[in-house]
């Protein structure tokens, strides 16, 4: 979960960009802006929810290492938080795509 | 509720929102029915619960083992052996493509990695030999389907984690179907080689040449035995087997000088990227799965299929049809995570062996990797083979048909999947 932001920057999250590439530019800009806004909204909410969740599980220990369960659970708020900041920093840009050449 | 969630999911997927975010949006809408007051509690709980599974730790390890082999110069050795074995046949490079996929399947459970590695090396050569680019890319994508069927398999580990089925039994159950799939694609290649008037090499490789190629590829050929034998003999768990394979490849790569620091770094970053992408989907699809269970969707689906449960063949046919159509429009890991809990009770009612069901779901989900419009392998094959994606969308259907025919054979003949596990376990 910690790497979600890095994966987003590389454009490596699984997605289908076929429709996005075939619509007129103004529509495309609206779609890209919506994607950006949506990503910011849901990642911020998830980061906050999982931050609260850490407090609820801090009394439990992991079976193996006997450390507080909040340590592994922290991967959620940290991962979503990093994703939120990276998306915010990059602004509403189209998610990077792999280069494809025509068959000849 | 389910229809609304499906509509939200489809709209977001179609406008290019990353799949884990599309799933998250679906989950948010789902809470409109479940109750928003539960959202802040259930979302992190289910997301973490979805990835807090010991068996899933095997996934990054098998991905890393495959990447280390790719970056440690093992793939060309496997290709060399395949070329010596079947390169002399008509349309030889097509056969090499399939046989190399069978070898590659034994070290990497990811079809996408297989398409990417073999496509880069083989598509240009197949073009030169006289195959159209779309056919070469299509065969590369299609033959990579063998990857998740022959052990190790990421999809099988996910299925096992959800159903409690033995990973070892699933791995053994996948061997024969994987080989049948390979033979089917080779038979298809014979027909197409004649159709495209692709010639054959002058001579068959000598025994000495095959021996030398086998010796060169030996380190890569040992890996599948480490994986399978360790699990089957009960010496290691699938996760430990993944770690053992990584250690073996790492030691071999460094000792022989085939793996340098740059290759190691590339393998680690590629593994981190793919693992993060897959685990994000697993985590979020767990929330949607919880909502579907909350809405009694598995029970509703079981009720719908109740008239069929007296006939396991019809039940599996219905399950396959639903999985095939779902797989066309949904990312494979999400589809597997969402559908397995729904199908398992139905299949159990029909008396279907969990291993047989696991292989059928895995093959179905794997076929989805080459079905338009969302098949990940087609996108990768188009990119590495430099062919137009729309033309590949059309050219891929004969391969899908062959894969579906193999699926039908596996449904009709359960012993193809249950015979090997019954001998070993």
């Amino acid at each position: 979960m910690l790497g979600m932001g890095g994966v987003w920057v590389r454009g490596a999250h699984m997605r289908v960009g076929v429709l996005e590439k075939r619509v007129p530019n103004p529509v495309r800009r609206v779609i890209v802006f919506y994607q950006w806004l949506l990503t910011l909204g849901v990642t911020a909410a998830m980061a906050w929810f999982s931050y609260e969740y850490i407090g609820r599980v801090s009394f439990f220990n992991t079976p193996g290492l006997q450390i507080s369960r909040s340590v592994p659970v922290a991967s959620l708020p940290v991962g979503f938080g990093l994703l939120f900041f990276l998306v915010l920093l990059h602004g509403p840009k189209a998610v990077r795509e792999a280069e494809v050449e025509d068959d000849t | 509720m389910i229809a609304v969630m499906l509509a939200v999911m489809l709209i977001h997927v179609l406008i290019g929102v990353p799949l884990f975010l599309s799933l998250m949006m679906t989950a948010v809408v789902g809470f409109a029915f479940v109750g928003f007051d539960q959202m802040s509690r259930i979302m992190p709980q289910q997301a973490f619960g979805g990835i807090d599974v010991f068996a899933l730790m095997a996934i990054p390890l098998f991905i890393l083992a495959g990447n280390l082999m790719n970056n440690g110069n093992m793939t060309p050795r496997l290709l060399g052996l395949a070329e010596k074995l079947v390169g002399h046949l008509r349309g030889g490079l097509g056969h090499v493509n399939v046989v190399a996929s069978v070898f590659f399947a034994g070290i990497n459970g990811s079809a996408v990695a297989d398409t990417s590695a073999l496509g880069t090396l083989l598509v240009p050569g197949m073009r030169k030999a006289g195959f159209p680019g779309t056919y070469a890319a299509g065969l590369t994508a299609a033959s990579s389907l063998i990857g998740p069927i022959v052990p190790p398999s990421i999809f099988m580990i996910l299925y096992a984690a959800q159903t409690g089925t033995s990973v070892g039994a699933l791995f053994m159950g996948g061997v024969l179907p994987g080989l049948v799939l390979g033979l089917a694609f080779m038979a298809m290649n014979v027909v197409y080689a004649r159709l495209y008037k692709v010639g054959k090499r002058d001579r068959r490789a000598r025994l000495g040449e095959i021996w030398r190629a086998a010796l060169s590829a030996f380190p890569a050929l040992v890996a599948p035995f480490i994986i399978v034998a360790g699990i089957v003999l009960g010496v290691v768990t699938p996760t430990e087997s993944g770690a053992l394979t990584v250690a073996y490849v790492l030691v071999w790569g460094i000792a022989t000088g085939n793996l340098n620091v740059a290759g190691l770094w590339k393998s680690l970053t590629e593994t981190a990227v793919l693992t993060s992408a897959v685990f994000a989907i697993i985590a979020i699809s767990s929330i949607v799965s919880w909502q579907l269970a909350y809405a009694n969707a598995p029970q509703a689906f079981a009720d719908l299929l109740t008239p069929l449960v007296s006939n396991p063949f019809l039940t599996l046919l219905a399950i396959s049809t639903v999985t095939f159509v779902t797989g066309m429009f949904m990312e494979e890991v999400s589809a597997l995570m969402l559908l397995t809990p729904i199908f398992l009770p139905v299949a159990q009612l029909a008396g279907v062996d969990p291993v047989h069901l696991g292989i059928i779901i895995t093959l179905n989900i794997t076929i989805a990797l080459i079905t338009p419009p969302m098949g990940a392998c087609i996108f990768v094959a188009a990119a590495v083979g430099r062919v137009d994606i729309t033309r590949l969308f059309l050219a891929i259907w004969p391969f899908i048909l062959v894969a579906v025919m193999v699926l039908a054979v596996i449904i009709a003949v359960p012993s193809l999947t249950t015979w090997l596990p019954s001998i070993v376990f």
Side-chain angles (χ1 to χ4, degrees):
Chain A
M1 302 308 283
L2 294 171
M4 283 188 300
V7 178
W8 190 88
V9 172
R10 285 168 174 249
H13 275 299
M14 293 163 199
R15 64 191 282 270
V16 181
V18 179
L19 187 74
E20 186 193 305
K21 277 189 280 185
R22 283 162 199 263
V23 292
N25 265 341
V27 180
R28 187 167 186 240
R29 272 198 293 274
V30 172
I31 289 177
V32 168
F33 187 72
Y34 174 72
Q35 286 177 359
W36 182 70
L37 218 57
L38 176 82
T39 311
L40 283 179
V42 292
T43 50
M46 193 63 184
W48 179 250
F49 293 158
S50 41
Y51 172 71
E52 283 185 323
Y53 182 60
I54 286 183
R56 286 200 290 272
V57 296
S58 58
F59 304 107
F60 302 102
N61 281 351
T62 60
L65 294 174
Q66 289 295 311
I67 54 170
S68 169
R69 195 167 159 77
S70 51
V71 176
V73 171
S75 64
L76 284 183
V78 174
F80 280 104
L82 278 172
L83 177 59
F84 173 83
F85 281 115
L86 285 168
V87 173
L88 191 67
L89 279 176
H90 278 74
K93 281 188 287 193
V95 180
R96 222 171 71 183
E97 295 259 6
E99 295 278 325
V100 181
E101 287 179 27
D102 281 346
D103 180 31
T104 47
Chain B
M1 169 188 172
I2 294 167
V4 175
M5 286 170 72
L6 196 67
V8 170
M9 169 92 187
L10 267 179
I11 290 168
H12 283 85
V13 165
L14 283 176
I15 62 169
V17 175
L19 291 159
F20 81 102
L21 288 168
S22 300
L23 277 166
M24 203 186 278
M25 203 53 208
T26 310
V28 170
V29 171
F31 278 108
F33 299 94
V34 176
F36 277 116
D37 53 320
Q38 299 206 55
M39 193 161 87
S40 64
R41 186 175 56 86
I42 298 293
M43 279 183 88
Q45 187 190 61
Q46 291 300 320
F48 189 74
I51 52 174
D52 186 23
V53 178
F54 181 69
L56 295 184
M57 272 175 64
I59 292 175
L61 293 168
F62 283 129
I63 295 174
L64 180 59
N67 282 333
L68 286 170
M69 287 202 178
N70 268 346
N71 295 315
N73 204 22
M74 275 190 177
T75 309
R77 289 160 188 257
L78 289 175
L79 263 181
L81 176 62
E83 206 273 330
K84 291 282 181 278
L85 286 172
V86 290
H88 61 280
L89 301 172
R90 184 183 290 278
L93 274 180
H95 296 302
V96 171
N97 200 330
V98 178
V99 173
S101 285
V102 174
F103 289 151
F104 206 75
I107 57 173
N108 195 329
S110 161
V112 177
D114 182 331
T115 308
S116 164
L118 296 183
T120 315
L121 297 167
L122 282 172
V123 174
M126 283 181 72
R127 267 190 178 140
K128 272 185 201 156
F131 286 109
T134 44
Y135 175 84
L139 183 66
T140 307
S143 64
S144 71
L145 300 188
I146 301 165
I149 308 298
V150 170
S153 162
I154 291 168
F155 292 154
M156 286 183 194
I157 294 169
L158 287 171
Y159 173 87
Q162 283 190 301
T163 61
T165 313
S166 156
V167 175
L170 283 166
F171 277 6
M172 292 309 292
V175 173
L176 287 180
L179 295 178
V180 172
L181 196 60
L183 286 174
F185 284 133
M186 283 178 81
M188 184 184 175
N189 187 57
V190 170
V191 176
Y192 273 81
R194 284 188 187 281
L195 191 73
Y196 295 132
K197 297 185 173 53
V198 177
K200 53 180 180 180
R201 203 174 61 188
D202 298 340
R203 65 174 184 86
R204 185 187 288 262
R206 291 194 191 89
L207 211 59
E209 290 174 317
I210 297 174
W211 176 246
R212 277 192 294 278
L215 272 184
S216 168
F218 182 72
L221 295 172
V222 170
F225 291 98
I226 295 178
I227 295 163
V228 176
I231 298 171
V232 167
L233 295 173
V235 182
V236 288
T237 64
T239 306
E240 290 161 352
S241 158
L244 203 63
T245 313
V246 168
Y248 163 73
V249 181
L250 206 58
V251 169
W252 177 86
I254 292 169
T256 57
N258 281 293
L259 191 67
N260 52 22
V261 177
L264 182 62
W265 179 249
K266 193 170 173 230
S267 305
L268 288 170
T269 48
E270 282 172 353
T271 304
V273 166
L274 187 56
T275 305
S276 292
V278 169
F279 273 61
I281 292 171
I282 296 174
I284 307 303
S285 62
S286 302
I287 305 171
V288 180
S289 290
W290 179 86
Q291 289 174 330
L292 290 176
Y294 187 88
N296 267 333
Q299 190 53 48
F301 192 78
D303 291 344
L304 204 69
L305 287 185
T306 301
L308 299 177
V309 294
S310 56
N311 187 331
F313 180 76
L314 286 180
T315 307
L316 287 174
L317 217 55
I319 285 174
S320 292
T321 310
V322 175
T323 315
F324 182 84
V325 176
T326 311
M328 283 178 76
F329 301 102
M330 195 183 260
E331 192 278 328
E332 292 70 32
V333 175
S334 329
L336 184 72
M337 298 297 289
L338 295 179
L339 293 179
T340 303
I342 295 175
F343 289 151
L344 186 69
V346 181
Q348 278 174 332
L349 270 178
V352 175
D353 189 300
V355 173
H356 190 205
L357 177 72
I359 303 298
I360 285 165
I361 290 184
T362 304
L363 183 53
N364 254 305
I365 291 290
T366 308
I367 293 172
L369 285 165
I370 59 163
T371 52
M374 287 193 56
C377 283
I378 322 182
F379 289 103
V380 175
V384 299
R386 297 169 192 273
V387 301
D388 178 60
I389 186 73
T390 319
R391 286 173 62 194
L392 189 55
F393 274 172
L394 294 174
I396 200 74
W397 283 99
F399 298 100
I400 296 172
L401 186 69
V402 169
V404 168
M405 281 161 65
V406 171
L407 175 70
V409 170
I410 294 167
I411 290 174
V413 189
S415 55
L416 268 175
T417 58
T418 53
W419 178 67
L420 261 182
S422 70
I423 290 177
V424 178
F425 292 98

